[in-house]
Amino acid sequence: PLLILGNKQDLPESRTIMDLKNAFHDSVRRIGNRDCFIKPISALEGTGVMEGIEWMRKCVERNPYRPPRKKD
């Protein structure tokens, strides 16, 4: 999976999610079919961070080719 966190969303001059999508447009072939998620966040305010991490956790858990190992 590919998680892109668009930080600094608490600032008025921050890039929009559409700006971030456009920045990765040229990499579409290299990204391929993998799950992708662009999440606007503000680390300063703590908004969006946990949602992005939770999305990544769910992607890793459902991956049939490399399931997470169970800890003893």
Side-chain angles (χ1 to χ4, degrees):
L2 175 62
L3 173 62
I4 301 166
L5 300 176
N7 195 18
K8 305 290 186 186
Q9 294 299 309
D10 52 297
L11 300 177
E13 66 271 12
S14 66
R15 300 285 183 183
T16 67
I17 295 305
M18 190 55 70
D19 290 337
L20 294 174
K21 285 182 179 183
N22 288 336
F24 283 88
H25 185 271
D26 292 340
S27 301
V28 168
R29 283 193 295 157
R30 285 181 278 172
I31 292 171
N33 291 355
R34 73 181 70 198
D35 290 333
C36 296
F37 186 46
I38 299 177
K39 181 69 180 166
I41 70 164
S42 169
L44 180 65
E45 296 174 352
T47 56
V49 177
M50 290 308 298
E51 291 90 346
I53 292 170
E54 182 63 18
W55 177 86
M56 180 61 78
R57 184 191 65 77
K58 287 178 182 178
C59 286
V60 170
E61 280 185 350
R62 73 171 181 252
N63 184 345
Y65 303 106
R66 291 183 137 175
R69 296 181 184 171
K70 303 273 186 198
K71 292 185 179 183
D72 295 332

